[in-house]
């Protein structure tokens, strides 16, 4: 158990809908990351937050947004969902968010868009 | 949970043998590398890391080798055990990155035969 928690574990929804994925980092970690894992694209970085501020951004779609709250938990919002958004979404956390900080991954949320 | 990446390259080894998993990276600016292990239905788990000023680093039963000349990384697992069966990913990042955006390789599935 990495100490990173994600809810829900599974999510099934329809095209065009909006969902929110939630992540609680390990105790003491200030930085949160979101990754998408799909069959065709592999594991891809979406976005990183550090202490509430956006720190780095990957190829995150405009339909996706995220935020980190004062209590350091983070939410990833996915809107206007398409079939291709079906994937595993992982949250990771690290102490400070620097390059050599180990990222600890949560168990993931499996999103299925029908 | 189901495995992601059903068409991953697969390495099949006998229990007790040594395993070598290879990874080629593309960004010559990358200076920090990490190996992650992902078991079915779980998030990636940190195994070992190496900085670009090193060419070898050892952990418990694992060794990472880095060849910057050919941009190649390998993970050696000694005395492979059934519990080592998983998908292994290499990841890279670089120090002038504003945050800590990991770029993951495609993964290799390790199957250990008892």
């Amino acid at each position: 158990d990495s100490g990173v928690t994600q809810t829900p574990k599974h999510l099934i929804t329809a095209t065009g809908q909006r969902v929110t994925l939630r992540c609680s980092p390990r105790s003491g970690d200030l930085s949160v990351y979101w990754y998408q894992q799909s069959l065709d694209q592999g594991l891809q970085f979406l976005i990183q937050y550090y202490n509430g501020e956006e720190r780095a951004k990957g190829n995150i779609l405009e339909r996706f947004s995220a935020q980190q709250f004062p209590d350091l938990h983070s939410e990833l919002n996915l809107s206007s969902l398409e079939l291709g958004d079906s994937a595993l979404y992982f949250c990771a956390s690290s102490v400070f968010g620097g390059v050599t900080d180990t990222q600890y991954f949560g168990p993931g949320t499996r999103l299925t868009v029908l | 949970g189901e495995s992601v990446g059903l068409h991953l390259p697969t390495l099949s080894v006998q229990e007790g043998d040594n395993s070598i998993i290879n990874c080629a990276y593309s960004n010559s600016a990358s200076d920090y590398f990490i190996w992650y292990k992902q078991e079915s239905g779980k998030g990636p788990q940190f195994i070992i890391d190496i900085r670009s000023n090193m060419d070898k680093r050892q952990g418990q039963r694992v060794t990472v080798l880095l060849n910057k000349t050919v941009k190649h990384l390998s993970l050696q697992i000694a005395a492979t055990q059934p519990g080592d069966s998983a998908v292994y990913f290499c990841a890279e990042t670089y120090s002038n990155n504003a945050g800590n955006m990991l770029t993951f390789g495609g993964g290799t599935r390790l199957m250990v035969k008892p």
Side-chain angles (χ1 to χ4, degrees), chain B residues 58-78:
Chain B
Q58 289 185 288
Q60 187 176 17
R61 277 201 312 120
V62 294
T63 299
V64 55
L65 298 178
L66 174 62
N67 185 330
K68 295 181 290 293
T69 303
V70 295
K71 292 190 283 191
H72 183 268
L73 198 63
S74 68
L75 177 70
Q76 301 178 358
I77 304 174

Side-chain angles (χ1 to χ4, degrees), chain A residues 25 28-34 45 47-57 66-70 72-74 92-99 101, chain B residues 98-100:
Chain A
D29 284 0
L30 298 176
S31 199
V32 169
Y33 313 75
W34 286 98
F45 169 80
I47 198 162
Q48 176 194 1
Y49 281 83
Y50 171 73
N51 206 20
E53 299 291 325
E54 184 182 301
R55 174 67 69 89
K57 206 167 186 175
Q67 54 184 324
Q68 186 180 26
F69 294 86
L72 301 178
H73 91 272
S74 178
S93 72
S94 70
V95 179
F96 294 115
V99 166
D101 266 8
Chain B
N100 190 4

Side-chain angles (χ1 to χ4, degrees), chain B residues 7 20 37 40 55 66 112:
Chain B
H7 304 293
I20 300 176
K37 170 186 180 183
S40 182
D55 53 20
L66 174 62
V112 182

Side-chain angles (χ1 to χ4, degrees), chain A residues 72-88:
Chain A
L72 301 178
H73 91 272
S74 178
E75 292 181 356
L76 178 67
N77 300 296
L78 315 176
S79 62
S80 303
L81 285 166
E82 303 175 359
L83 295 177
D85 298 327
S86 294
L88 276 164

Side-chain angles (χ1 to χ4, degrees), chain A residues 37 39 45 48 55 88 98 103, chain B residues 4-5 36 38 98-101:
Chain A
Q37 187 174 40
L39 280 171
F45 169 80
Q48 176 194 1
R55 174 67 69 89
L88 276 164
Q103 293 184 33
Chain B
V4 176
Y36 279 89
Q38 186 176 20
N100 190 4
M101 182 175 74

Side-chain angles (χ1 to χ4, degrees), chain B residues 23-33 50-56 65-74:
Chain B
C23 174
Y25 65 93
S26 55
N27 188 352
S28 55
S30 291
D31 56 6
Y32 181 63
F33 305 87
I50 188 167
R51 299 187 192 214
S52 60
N53 61 354
M54 304 171 69
D55 53 20
K56 180 178 180 179
L65 298 178
L66 174 62
N67 185 330
K68 295 181 290 293
T69 303
V70 295
K71 292 190 283 191
H72 183 268
L73 198 63
S74 68

Side-chain angles (χ1 to χ4, degrees), chain A residues 9 33 35 37-39 43 45 48 55-58 88 90 97-103 105-107 110, chain B residues 2 4-6 31-32 36 38 41-44 46 49 51 89 93-95 97-102 104:
Chain A
K9 191 174 174 67
Y33 313 75
Y35 290 84
Q37 187 174 40
S38 61
L39 280 171
L43 254 171
F45 169 80
Q48 176 194 1
R55 174 67 69 89
K57 206 167 186 175
L88 276 164
F90 288 105
V99 166
T100 57
D101 266 8
T102 300
Q103 293 184 33
F105 283 75
R110 180 174 290 281
Chain B
E2 300 81 19
V4 176
L6 298 178
D31 56 6
Y32 181 63
Y36 279 89
Q38 186 176 20
K42 296 185 178 180
F46 173 88
D49 58 2
R51 299 187 192 214
F89 294 95
T93 187
Y94 54 96
S95 296
N97 189 348
N100 190 4
M101 182 175 74
L102 295 180
F104 283 84

